[in-house]
């Protein structure tokens, strides 16, 4: 189940239009772009981007997915809440719910390059906790085996998550980039919109 084009979480227009040129070549944005590019070029690892709203985290993730797809490699972009909704829906659509839920989780875990946005924007229920940990455990093991790339964007420092998850995010083989600039949204206009 390879993720290209219409199944990537991006519109076809985003895939065509988004390039690394959309990211400024200075400061934290450049540092974040370089971390993401290094990890994608290497073909395995994690990058955790965090900072306030409007600092280009989502844009970085979408560009990474678009550029990967343009190289005819599978990649997916998803918000954490949408990913969890997809897993929850398995319980509504199939009489063999455990099998379907497991299949969906395996699909998300096996995408060679997955960008998860708004990582912290979910209410931490037992279901969320279990599924997020299982997904990230699988992706962590794949990254350590040099088999996958996971990009994560959050408004929160990795330190706020329980030790088990925070420890994996802080793995010295992976990268964490904090973006502390002010929101870029107030300076946006329609002339530069995609």
């Amino acid at each position: 189940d390879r993720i290209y084009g219409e199944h990537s979480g991006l519109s076809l227009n985003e895939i065509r239009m988004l390039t690394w040129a959309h990211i400024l070549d200075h400061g934290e944005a450049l540092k974040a772009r370089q971390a993401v590019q290094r990890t994608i070029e290497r073909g395995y690892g994690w990058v955790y981007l965090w900072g306030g709203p409007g600092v280009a985290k989502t844009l970085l993730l979408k560009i990474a997915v678009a550029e990967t797809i343009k190289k005819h490699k599978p990649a997916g972009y998803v918000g954490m809440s949408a990913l969890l909704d997809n897993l929850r829906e398995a319980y509504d659509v199939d009489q063999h719910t455990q099998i379907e839920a497991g299949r969906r989780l395996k699909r998300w875990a096996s995408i060679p390059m997955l960008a998860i946005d708004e990582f912290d924007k979910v209410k931490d229920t037992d279901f969320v906790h279990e599924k997020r940990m299982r997904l990230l455990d699988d992706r962590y093991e794949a990254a350590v085996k040099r088999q996958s790339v996971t990009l994560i964007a959050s408004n929160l420092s990795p330190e706020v998550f329980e030790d088990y998850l925070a420890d994996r995010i802080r793995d010295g083989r992976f990268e964490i980039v904090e973006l502390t600039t002010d929101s870029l949204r107030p300076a946006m206009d329609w002339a530069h919109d995609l």
Side-chain angles (χ1 to χ4, degrees):
D1 194 3
R2 298 171 77 77
I3 309 296
Y4 295 105
E6 65 192 59
H7 302 291
S8 67
L10 300 182
S11 71
L12 294 177
N13 189 48
E14 286 175 309
I15 294 168
R16 280 193 300 272
M17 301 295 292
L18 289 172
T19 69
W20 291 116
H22 287 95
I23 300 297
L24 300 174
D25 281 337
H26 65 277
E28 296 162 351
L30 176 61
K31 183 178 174 186
R33 182 181 96 187
Q34 290 171 337
V36 168
Q37 287 176 312
R38 269 193 306 274
T39 303
I40 290 170
E41 287 169 18
R42 185 174 54 237
Y44 55 90
W46 283 16
V47 178
Y48 185 89
L49 304 174
W50 71 282
V55 296
K57 298 180 305 290
T58 295
L59 181 59
L60 279 158
L61 296 186
K62 287 184 172 188
I63 291 169
V65 170
E67 292 286 6
T68 301
I69 290 169
K70 287 175 199 171
K71 293 178 182 175
H72 306 286
K73 296 180 181 178
Y77 166 86
V78 67
M80 191 72 218
S81 62
L83 189 155
L84 292 166
D85 284 347
N86 177 260
L87 297 178
R88 270 189 210 98
E89 289 167 2
Y91 294 94
D92 297 333
V93 299
D94 194 289
Q95 62 183 359
H96 306 289
T97 56
Q98 293 292 30
I99 294 169
E100 176 62 14
R103 187 190 70 74
R104 289 181 185 206
L105 187 64
K106 183 177 179 182
R107 177 182 168 266
W108 288 112
S110 65
I111 297 170
M113 202 286 275
L114 180 62
I116 305 171
D117 202 0
E118 308 242 330
F119 186 72
D120 57 309
K121 299 293 183 202
V122 292
K123 183 177 179 183
D124 199 14
T125 65
D126 288 343
F127 176 87
V128 168
H129 180 77
E130 176 191 342
K131 298 306 180 189
R132 179 165 58 185
M133 291 308 299
R134 182 147 171 237
L135 170 71
L136 293 176
D137 257 354
D138 289 351
R139 293 203 63 84
Y140 178 82
E141 290 300 321
V144 169
K145 293 176 185 174
R146 301 178 178 199
Q147 297 171 342
S148 75
V149 169
T150 302
L151 308 176
I152 300 172
S154 175
N155 288 4
L156 302 177
S157 162
E159 305 304 320
V160 304
F161 299 107
E162 67 182 69
D163 290 344
Y164 185 79
L165 176 56
D167 190 60
R168 279 158 175 68
I169 293 169
R170 290 188 312 252
D171 185 312
R173 295 168 286 190
F174 302 159
E175 298 197 52
I176 298 171
V177 181
E178 181 182 8
L179 296 140
T180 60
T181 59
D182 292 333
S183 175
L184 304 172
R185 287 192 179 106
M188 296 177 78
D189 61 39
W190 290 108
H192 298 96
D193 196 26
L194 291 177

